[in-house]
Amino acid sequence: DGGITQSPKYLFRKEGQNVTLSCEQNLNHDAMYWYRQDPGQGLRLIYYSQIVNDFQKGDIAEGYSVSREKKESFPLTVTSAQKNPTAFYLCASRLPGSTGANVLTFGAGSRLTVL
Amino acid sequence: AQKVTQAQTEISVVEKEDVTLDCVYETRDTTYYLFWYKQPPSGELVFLIRRNSFDEQNEISGRYSWNFQKSTSSFNFTITASQVVDSAVYFCALSGSISNFGNEKLTFGTGTRLTIIP
């Protein structure tokens, strides 16, 4: 079955450490997204990528970095510069073309806790 | 700037009751899209519906129905005869005109946590 796989599901990190969250999709989607979810704040866009080797900052990109070397993969690194990294992180991808535009498919998320 | 407001933070109803989740939006775009997503306890968001700004016809899908009113900038979601499996967080979202290389960012509301009591 096609879908988005995020790993790890739960992650604990000490302050000052970088951590990378994995996102892999086998849907052949061009665009991929990273959202952060905090209680009471909904989802906020961190980074998005419309094609391989290209990505743009979202609303809250500071302290995060991404890469898009393959169509299937869009890893997110939470760096030590991110002041409040404890959150639930969701990866998503989008169907190509106008008929499916902006209908996002989401992964099951990764919950990061900074100790 | 785009904004989505879901004023109801949490709602609890007894099973089989009807429940309506409110969504109010703000946008300057003349063409835009509205969405509802469901987030069950497992975490992933599940797409429920997309509606474009030119289509104000209400839609029904089984026990779910959506009422889109441009005059009040609202896109409300009603669940009829609620079931325990409907318990989840529901998000309303808004995006602007779709283009291949433009900013296709979705603006989400803060979500409404719905609990169906058996």
Side-chain angles (χ1 to χ4, degrees):
Chain A
D1 286 339
I4 297 178
T5 301
Q6 290 188 240
S7 62
K9 191 165 179 65
Y10 299 96
L11 185 62
F12 297 89
R13 186 194 94 176
K14 292 182 180 179
E15 281 192 30
Q17 290 181 336
N18 293 354
V19 61
T20 297
L21 307 180
S22 170
C23 177
E24 302 280 333
Q25 55 102 354
N26 59 4
L27 300 165
N28 198 34
H29 287 179
D30 291 309
M32 297 186 74
Y33 305 78
W34 273 105
Y35 283 88
R36 170 179 170 143
Q37 184 177 8
D38 296 282
Q41 294 194 49
L43 276 71
R44 294 180 290 169
L45 182 64
I46 304 172
Y47 267 98
Y48 65 102
S49 168
Q50 292 172 320
I51 55 174
V52 174
N53 292 323
D54 183 67
F55 48 82
Q56 287 81 38
K57 294 181 179 180
D59 297 322
I60 55 167
E62 185 175 350
Y64 299 97
S65 66
V66 294
S67 63
R68 188 82 187 278
E69 297 176 1
K70 299 186 300 181
K71 187 176 185 177
E72 303 78 20
S73 179
F74 191 40
L76 173 74
T77 296
V78 185
T79 75
S80 56
Q82 168 51 233
K83 291 184 169 61
N84 185 20
T86 295
F88 188 56
Y89 292 89
L90 284 158
C91 179
S93 66
R94 179 182 63 81
L95 286 165
S98 59
T99 55
N102 281 23
V103 176
L104 300 181
T105 301
F106 283 85
S110 294
R111 187 168 298 280
L112 172 63
T113 302
V114 174
L115 304 173
Chain B
Q2 297 182 330
K3 184 178 180 181
V4 176
T5 301
Q6 294 180 257
Q8 303 153 310
T9 305
E10 296 188 25
I11 301 175
S12 295
V13 300
V14 176
E15 194 173 20
K16 297 184 183 177
E17 288 185 353
D18 299 347
V19 58
T20 294
L21 309 182
D22 297 333
C23 173
V24 174
Y25 63 92
E26 296 176 28
T27 181
R28 294 181 180 176
D29 292 340
T30 54
T31 302
Y32 53 90
Y33 294 80
L34 294 161
F35 303 78
W36 276 95
Y37 282 85
K38 174 182 180 180
Q39 185 179 39
S42 54
E44 81 280 12
L45 269 73
V46 177
F47 167 74
L48 295 179
I49 190 172
R50 181 186 70 167
R51 175 55 51 86
N52 74 57
S53 52
F54 296 110
D55 182 5
E56 288 193 69
Q57 202 169 13
N58 290 334
E59 184 160 337
I60 298 174
S61 176
R63 297 183 297 106
Y64 295 172
S65 62
W66 290 270
N67 182 0
F68 177 29
Q69 292 193 343
K70 287 180 76 171
S71 60
T72 57
S73 297
S74 65
F75 186 43
N76 296 338
F77 173 30
T78 298
I79 301 175
T80 303
S82 60
Q83 300 176 2
V84 172
V85 293
D86 296 327
S87 295
V89 180
Y90 291 86
F91 289 95
C92 182
L94 167 71
S95 77
S97 302
I98 295 169
S99 63
N100 286 331
F101 299 103
N103 184 350
E104 299 175 345
K105 182 178 68 174
L106 273 178
T107 299
F108 284 85
T110 51
T112 298
R113 181 177 298 278
L114 176 63
T115 301
I116 308 300
I117 303 167

Coordinates of all heavy atoms in Angstrom, one line a residue, chain B residues 4-35:
Chain B
V4 N -7.8 31.1 9.8 CA -8.9 30.2 10.0 C -9.1 30.1 11.5 O -8.2 29.9 12.3 CB -8.5 28.8 9.5 CG1 -9.6 27.8 9.8 CG2 -8.3 28.8 8.0
T5 N -10.4 30.3 11.9 CA -10.7 30.3 13.3 C -11.7 29.1 13.6 O -12.7 29.0 13.0 CB -11.4 31.6 13.7 OG1 -10.5 32.7 13.4 CG2 -11.7 31.6 15.2
Q6 N -11.3 28.3 14.5 CA -12.1 27.3 15.1 C -12.3 27.6 16.5 O -11.5 27.3 17.3 CB -11.5 25.9 14.9 CG -11.4 25.5 13.4 CD -10.8 24.1 13.2 OE1 -9.6 24.0 12.9 NE2 -11.6 23.1 13.5
A7 N -13.4 28.2 16.8 CA -13.6 28.8 18.2 C -13.8 27.7 19.2 O -13.6 27.9 20.4 CB -14.7 29.8 18.2
Q8 N -14.4 26.6 18.8 CA -14.6 25.5 19.7 C -13.4 24.7 19.9 O -12.9 24.0 19.0 CB -15.7 24.6 19.1 CG -17.0 25.3 18.8 CD -17.8 24.5 17.7 OE1 -17.2 24.2 16.6 NE2 -19.0 24.3 17.9
T9 N -12.8 24.8 21.1 CA -11.6 24.0 21.4 C -11.9 22.5 21.7 O -11.2 21.6 21.1 CB -10.9 24.6 22.6 OG1 -10.7 26.0 22.4 CG2 -9.6 23.9 22.9
E10 N -12.9 22.3 22.5 CA -13.3 20.9 22.8 C -14.8 20.8 22.8 O -15.5 21.7 23.3 CB -12.8 20.5 24.1 CG -11.3 20.4 24.2 CD -10.8 19.8 25.5 OE1 -11.5 19.0 26.1 OE2 -9.6 20.1 25.9
I11 N -15.4 19.7 22.3 CA -16.8 19.4 22.3 C -17.0 18.0 22.8 O -16.3 17.1 22.3 CB -17.5 19.6 21.0 CG1 -17.3 21.0 20.4 CG2 -18.9 19.2 21.0 CD1 -17.8 21.2 19.0
S12 N -17.9 17.7 23.7 CA -18.3 16.4 24.1 C -19.8 16.2 23.9 O -20.6 17.1 24.3 CB -17.9 16.1 25.5 OG -16.5 16.2 25.7
V13 N -20.2 15.1 23.2 CA -21.6 14.8 23.0 C -21.8 13.3 23.3 O -20.8 12.5 23.2 CB -22.1 15.2 21.6 CG1 -21.9 16.6 21.3 CG2 -21.4 14.3 20.6
V14 N -23.0 13.0 23.6 CA -23.3 11.6 23.8 C -23.6 10.9 22.5 O -24.1 11.6 21.5 CB -24.6 11.5 24.7 CG1 -25.0 10.0 24.9 CG2 -24.3 12.1 26.1
E15 N -23.2 9.7 22.4 CA -23.3 8.9 21.1 C -24.7 9.1 20.6 O -25.7 9.1 21.3 CB -22.9 7.5 21.4 CG -22.7 6.7 20.1 CD -22.2 5.3 20.4 OE1 -22.4 4.8 21.6 OE2 -21.7 4.6 19.5
K16 N -24.8 9.2 19.3 CA -26.0 9.3 18.5 C -26.6 10.7 18.4 O -27.5 11.0 17.7 CB -27.1 8.4 19.0 CG -26.8 6.9 18.9 CD -27.9 6.0 19.3 CE -27.4 4.5 19.2 NZ -28.5 3.6 19.7
E17 N -26.0 11.6 19.2 CA -26.4 13.0 19.0 C -25.7 13.6 17.8 O -24.7 13.1 17.3 CB -25.9 13.8 20.2 CG -26.7 13.6 21.5 CD -26.3 14.5 22.6 OE1 -25.4 15.2 22.5 OE2 -27.0 14.5 23.7
D18 N -26.3 14.7 17.2 CA -25.7 15.4 16.1 C -24.8 16.5 16.7 O -25.0 17.0 17.8 CB -26.8 16.1 15.3 CG -27.7 15.1 14.7 OD1 -27.5 13.9 14.7 OD2 -28.8 15.5 14.2
V19 N -23.7 16.8 16.0 CA -22.8 17.8 16.4 C -22.3 18.6 15.2 O -22.0 18.0 14.2 CB -21.6 17.1 17.2 CG1 -20.9 16.1 16.3 CG2 -20.7 18.2 17.8
T20 N -22.1 19.9 15.4 CA -21.6 20.8 14.4 C -20.3 21.4 14.8 O -20.3 22.0 15.9 CB -22.6 21.8 14.0 OG1 -23.8 21.2 13.4 CG2 -22.1 22.8 13.0
L21 N -19.3 21.3 14.0 CA -18.0 22.0 14.2 C -18.0 23.2 13.4 O -18.2 23.2 12.2 CB -16.9 21.0 13.9 CG -17.0 19.6 14.5 CD1 -15.7 18.8 14.1 CD2 -17.1 19.7 16.0
D22 N -17.6 24.3 14.0 CA -17.6 25.6 13.3 C -16.3 26.0 12.7 O -15.2 25.6 13.3 CB -18.1 26.7 14.3 CG -19.5 26.5 14.8 OD1 -20.3 25.9 14.1 OD2 -19.8 27.0 15.9
C23 N -16.3 26.6 11.6 CA -15.0 27.1 11.0 C -15.3 28.4 10.3 O -16.2 28.5 9.4 CB -14.5 26.1 9.9 SG -13.1 26.7 9.0
V24 N -14.6 29.4 10.7 CA -14.7 30.8 10.0 C -13.4 31.1 9.5 O -12.3 30.9 10.1 CB -15.1 31.8 11.1 CG1 -15.1 33.2 10.5 CG2 -16.5 31.5 11.6
Y25 N -13.4 31.7 8.3 CA -12.1 32.0 7.6 C -12.0 33.4 7.1 O -13.0 34.1 7.0 CB -11.9 31.0 6.4 CG -12.9 31.2 5.3 CD1 -12.7 32.0 4.3 CD2 -14.1 30.5 5.4 CE1 -13.7 32.2 3.3 CE2 -15.1 30.6 4.4 CZ -14.9 31.5 3.4 OH -15.9 31.7 2.4
E26 N -10.8 33.8 6.9 CA -10.5 35.2 6.3 C -9.5 35.0 5.2 O -8.5 34.4 5.4 CB -9.9 36.1 7.4 CG -10.8 36.4 8.6 CD -10.1 37.2 9.6 OE1 -9.2 38.0 9.3 OE2 -10.5 37.1 10.8
T27 N -9.8 35.6 4.1 CA -8.9 35.7 3.0 C -9.2 36.8 2.0 O -10.4 37.2 2.0 CB -8.9 34.3 2.2 OG1 -8.0 34.4 1.1 CG2 -10.3 34.0 1.6
R28 N -8.2 37.3 1.3 CA -8.5 38.3 0.3 C -8.5 37.8 -1.1 O -8.9 38.5 -2.0 CB -7.4 39.4 0.4 CG -7.4 40.2 1.7 CD -6.3 41.2 1.7 NE -6.3 42.0 2.9 CZ -5.4 42.9 3.2 NH1 -4.4 43.2 2.4 NH2 -5.4 43.6 4.4
D29 N -8.2 36.5 -1.2 CA -8.3 35.8 -2.5 C -9.7 35.7 -3.0 O -10.6 35.5 -2.1 CB -7.6 34.5 -2.4 CG -6.1 34.5 -2.2 OD1 -5.5 35.6 -2.5 OD2 -5.5 33.5 -1.8
T30 N -9.9 35.8 -4.3 CA -11.2 35.5 -4.8 C -11.4 34.1 -5.1 O -12.5 33.6 -5.1 CB -11.5 36.4 -6.1 OG1 -10.4 36.1 -7.0 CG2 -11.5 37.9 -5.8
T31 N -10.3 33.4 -5.4 CA -10.3 32.0 -5.5 C -9.6 31.3 -4.4 O -8.4 31.6 -4.2 CB -9.7 31.6 -6.9 OG1 -10.4 32.2 -8.0 CG2 -9.8 30.0 -7.1
Y32 N -10.2 30.4 -3.7 CA -9.6 29.8 -2.6 C -10.2 28.4 -2.4 O -11.3 28.1 -3.0 CB -9.6 30.6 -1.3 CG -11.0 31.1 -0.9 CD1 -11.9 30.3 -0.1 CD2 -11.5 32.3 -1.4 CE1 -13.1 30.8 0.2 CE2 -12.8 32.8 -1.1 CZ -13.6 32.0 -0.3 OH -14.8 32.4 0.1
Y33 N -9.6 27.6 -1.5 CA -10.1 26.3 -1.2 C -10.2 26.1 0.3 O -9.3 26.5 1.0 CB -9.1 25.3 -1.8 CG -9.1 25.3 -3.4 CD1 -8.4 26.3 -4.0 CD2 -9.8 24.4 -4.1 CE1 -8.3 26.4 -5.4 CE2 -9.8 24.5 -5.5 CZ -9.1 25.5 -6.1 OH -9.1 25.5 -7.5
L34 N -11.2 25.4 0.7 CA -11.4 25.0 2.1 C -11.4 23.5 2.3 O -11.8 22.8 1.4 CB -12.7 25.6 2.6 CG -12.8 27.1 2.6 CD1 -14.3 27.6 2.6 CD2 -12.1 27.7 3.8
F35 N -10.8 23.1 3.4 CA -10.7 21.7 3.7 C -11.1 21.4 5.1 O -11.1 22.2 6.0 CB -9.2 21.3 3.6 CG -8.5 21.6 2.2 CD1 -8.1 22.9 1.9 CD2 -8.3 20.6 1.3 CE1 -7.5 23.2 0.7 CE2 -7.7 20.9 0.1 CZ -7.3 22.2 -0.2

